[in-house]
Amino acid sequence: MSAKKGLHLTLKIWRQKNNKSKGQFETYKISDVSTDSSFLEMLDILNENLINEGKEPIAFDHDCREGICGMCSLYINGRAHGPDTGITTCQLHMRMFKDGETIVIEPWRSAAFPVIKDLMVDRSAFDRVMAAGGFISVNTSGNTLDANAIPVPKEDADKAMDAAACIGCGACVATCKNGSAMLFVGAKVSQFALLPQGRVEAKRRVLNMVKAMDEEGFGNCSNTGACEVECPKGISLENIARMNREYMAAFVDRG
C-alpha cells in the first residue's frame, strides 16, 4: 500500500521588517505537507526550512494553538482565519487546501493594528479599549455578596456568556470594510450590561469604551454583517445593537 502523498503548495506571504518599512509579498514553495497538519504547523515547517537555508524565518503570532488566545491572526486567501468557519487560524487544517494550490497569507489590515513584523500586528488597541471600561466594581469590605447568590435570569446569563466568548482576535476588524471594532466592543459591553454586577459602571463604561474605540482609529459600523460571519466564536450583531442602546441611554442621561 503506497504512503499518502502530502501537499505541494505555493505560498505568497507578506514580509515587512517593521511598521515603518515598506512590505511586499514573497513566494515560497513547500512540499509534502500532511493534510493532517494545522496551518500553523505548516508555517513551522516552512520556517524550519528557511532556517536550514540560512534565511530569516517568517514572524507570525501564536500562543495556545487551541482556539482560545486569539493571537493567530492571519488573513488567508482573502478571509480572516482562512477558508473555514467558526475557527481560528490555529484550528485550520491543511485538508482544506488542494495539492498545487497557491495560498496568499497576509496580516490583519487596519490602521488601528499596525504591522510589527511580517504577519504580526499590534492589537494593543483592544487592550486600551478594555482598560477604558472593561471592569466592574466589587465590594471588598468583608461583607461581599457571593456572585453565585445573585439571581440572574437564565436568558440573560446565556447571552452574557455568549458575549464573553469573544477572544479579541480582531477578525471582525480585519473583515469589516471600515475596520470597525464595534462587534468586539459590543461584546465586551454586553457581557457586563446583561449582569447585575456590571450595572454600577454601566453608563461610564459604554461612554468610555466607545470614546477609546474612536480614539484608536477604528472605523464605524455600516451593518454589512461580515464581522459576525467571520467571527470564530460566532459573536452576534445583537451585541452591537445592545451597545448602541446602552450608549444612547448613557449619552442622554449625561445631558
Side-chain angles (χ1 to χ4, degrees):
M1 189 174 186
S2 60
K4 186 177 180 181
K5 291 185 177 180
L7 301 174
H8 298 266
L9 304 166
T10 299
L11 307 176
K12 292 184 67 176
I13 301 178
W14 186 259
R15 302 301 305 264
Q16 187 171 339
K17 187 175 181 180
N18 52 52
N19 66 340
K20 301 296 182 183
S21 63
K22 185 178 180 180
Q24 70 284 321
F25 282 104
E26 293 187 7
T27 302
Y28 303 90
K29 300 285 187 178
I30 188 169
S31 301
D32 202 25
V33 177
S34 171
T35 53
D36 293 327
S37 299
S38 73
F39 196 85
L40 295 189
E41 286 172 337
M42 181 274 294
L43 290 179
D44 288 338
I45 295 169
L46 174 62
N47 275 343
E48 185 175 351
N49 293 342
L50 291 175
I51 291 170
N52 290 336
E53 295 169 6
K55 299 177 181 178
E56 186 175 6
I58 295 153
F60 64 94
D61 232 339
H62 62 93
D63 191 4
C64 73
R65 299 202 179 196
E66 295 179 348
I68 299 171
C69 69
M71 294 183 68
C72 56
S73 45
L74 297 181
Y75 211 70
I76 304 166
N77 284 351
R79 289 188 63 180
H81 293 304
D84 204 349
T85 56
I87 63 164
T88 54
T89 301
C90 64
Q91 296 173 302
L92 177 67
H93 282 79
M94 297 311 296
R95 56 180 170 267
M96 295 296 298
F97 302 93
K98 298 177 181 178
D99 188 38
E101 187 172 350
T102 297
I103 304 175
V104 180
I105 311 170
E106 306 171 70
W108 286 167
R109 303 291 189 180
S110 170
F113 291 159
V115 172
I116 297 174
K117 184 176 183 180
D118 296 339
L119 303 176
M120 296 177 64
V121 299
D122 181 356
R123 292 179 298 126
S124 60
F126 272 5
D127 297 329
R128 291 187 288 274
V129 172
M130 284 296 294
F135 55 87
I136 63 170
S137 292
V138 177
N139 182 355
T140 58
S141 64
N143 297 314
T144 307
L145 180 64
D146 188 340
N148 292 328
I150 303 174
V152 179
K154 185 178 186 304
E155 183 179 357
D156 290 345
D158 287 346
K159 288 180 179 179
M161 288 297 292
D162 288 344
C166 170
I167 57 176
C169 68
C172 51
V173 176
T175 299
C176 179
K177 63 183 180 181
N178 303 322
S180 172
M182 290 188 73
L183 190 67
F184 166 77
V185 180
K188 298 307 178 183
V189 167
S190 287
Q191 72 183 64
F192 293 124
L194 288 160
L195 299 176
Q197 296 92 333
R199 297 316 301 171
V200 178
E201 290 93 2
K203 292 182 172 61
R204 184 176 63 182
R205 173 182 301 111
V206 69
L207 291 172
N208 288 347
M209 291 183 76
V210 170
K211 182 174 182 288
M213 175 182 70
D214 291 341
E215 290 174 347
E216 292 294 339
F218 293 106
N220 204 358
C221 175
S222 52
N223 296 312
T224 60
C227 54
E228 181 182 52
V229 172
E230 299 295 358
C231 174
K233 299 303 177 181
I235 303 300
S236 172
L237 289 175
E238 291 179 2
N239 292 294
I240 296 179
R242 184 175 296 106
M243 180 188 72
N244 287 336
R245 292 193 297 271
E246 289 279 319
Y247 184 85
M248 288 303 299
F251 186 82
V252 170
D253 186 69
R254 185 179 63 174

